[in-house]
Amino acid sequence: MTRNPKNKKRNTKAVSSMFDSIPHELVSEVLSRVASSSIKDIFNAKLSCKMLNEIAKDMYVYQRVSLDEVPIIPWKPISQEQETFLNTCLQSENPESLYRQAVLDYFNKTNLESTCMHLQKAVKNGHTGALYVTCIVLLFSGNEELKQQGINILKMIWVKNPVLLEPPVCCTTRDHHHRKSRWSEVEEDVTCEACVADQEINLLSGRYNFV
């Protein structure tokens, strides 16, 4: 049994009328959340009706769309539509898109100024990876002032890490293999892998005061 084209048009009009009664800002927020979780879902939403397709063109939606399923370097040539989509993400200052462009610019050694610009924008838009890369660059800059900035950023990154706020205990033995020696535990020969993991977490969380 084939569907009546007229019924399909009526359903489309009904959906459009329903969205007309909802503020576009609210619809844009919903679509941006859909885009941040799945690129496939936002494409399906755009195909569902003209109204959603138009609202999904908002830069705010492109700024939050997830690129997890999009390879950084495609194995085969991309289509014109795909290229347009990626360029729009970059122009909309999508954090992941900015970070990827910075990485590509750096390793291609085509434009270091462009690398820094895209990296700074990615950091500004909350990209953790870009913040970490910036930190590493500062640490190895050779400038003491910039190095200290890198150290401060690194501390901030680790402090915000929920794993380090309440570090888990990996070793489940009763005494956690405590040793009689009062010397630094790091220097001792540790055979328990769980204890090694605990020590590394403690180091990162600042429980040990090393100079």
Side-chain angles (χ1 to χ4, degrees):
M1 183 177 178
T2 58
R3 294 184 178 180
N4 190 334
K6 292 183 178 180
N7 290 336
K8 186 177 180 180
K9 289 183 179 179
R10 289 173 184 171
N11 292 335
T12 302
K13 289 182 178 179
V15 172
S16 298
S17 299
M18 179 183 68
F19 282 111
D20 281 336
S21 62
I22 303 175
H24 283 199
E25 293 79 6
L26 180 58
V27 179
S28 178
E29 177 63 32
V30 172
L31 289 177
S32 70
R33 296 193 181 194
V34 172
S36 66
S37 62
S38 171
I39 190 173
K40 291 181 180 179
D41 288 344
I42 190 61
F43 281 148
N44 288 333
K46 292 179 67 174
L47 293 172
S48 64
C49 73
K50 291 183 179 179
M51 179 67 67
L52 290 182
N53 183 43
E54 288 300 317
I55 299 177
K57 293 178 181 179
D58 192 339
M59 291 182 65
Y60 180 65
V61 178
Y62 280 99
Q63 188 181 53
R64 297 188 62 184
V65 66
S66 171
L67 300 179
D68 291 345
E69 299 177 42
V70 180
I72 298 178
I73 301 178
W75 290 99
K76 57 183 180 180
I78 61 176
S79 66
Q80 183 64 40
E81 290 183 352
Q82 291 173 322
E83 185 177 358
T84 301
F85 167 77
L86 292 175
N87 288 335
T88 305
C89 287
L90 186 61
Q91 293 169 4
S92 302
E93 298 193 353
N94 178 288
E96 178 63 22
S97 182
L98 291 168
Y99 175 66
R100 291 183 179 193
Q101 188 61 49
V103 172
L104 291 174
D105 286 345
Y106 177 78
F107 284 104
N108 289 332
K109 296 182 179 179
T110 54
N111 193 337
L112 291 179
E113 184 178 345
S114 175
T115 299
C116 294
M117 180 190 71
H118 287 109
L119 200 59
Q120 289 176 355
K121 286 184 177 181
V123 171
K124 183 180 178 182
N125 284 279
H127 195 285
T128 306
L131 181 62
Y132 185 76
V133 169
T134 301
C135 169
I136 299 302
V137 170
L138 293 173
L139 287 174
F140 291 93
S141 63
N143 181 292
E144 287 300 320
E145 184 177 348
L146 294 178
K147 181 180 178 181
Q148 187 58 49
Q149 290 181 20
I151 292 174
N152 292 337
I153 293 174
L154 190 60
K155 286 181 179 179
M156 180 182 67
I157 293 174
W158 284 117
V159 165
K160 289 185 177 181
N161 191 326
V163 174
L164 298 180
L165 292 177
E166 291 294 336
V169 177
C170 301
C171 183
T172 56
T173 60
R174 188 172 184 178
D175 60 351
H176 301 298
H177 291 115
H178 284 315
R179 293 155 185 76
K180 296 180 180 180
S181 172
R182 308 302 290 178
W183 295 96
S184 172
E185 295 179 20
V186 178
E187 296 178 356
E188 295 186 15
D189 182 21
V190 181
T191 57
C192 175
E193 293 184 1
C195 284
V196 173
D198 284 332
Q199 289 178 3
E200 291 180 353
I201 293 173
N202 285 332
L203 285 170
L204 292 174
S205 61
R207 288 191 176 184
Y208 294 105
N209 295 319
F210 292 102
V211 180

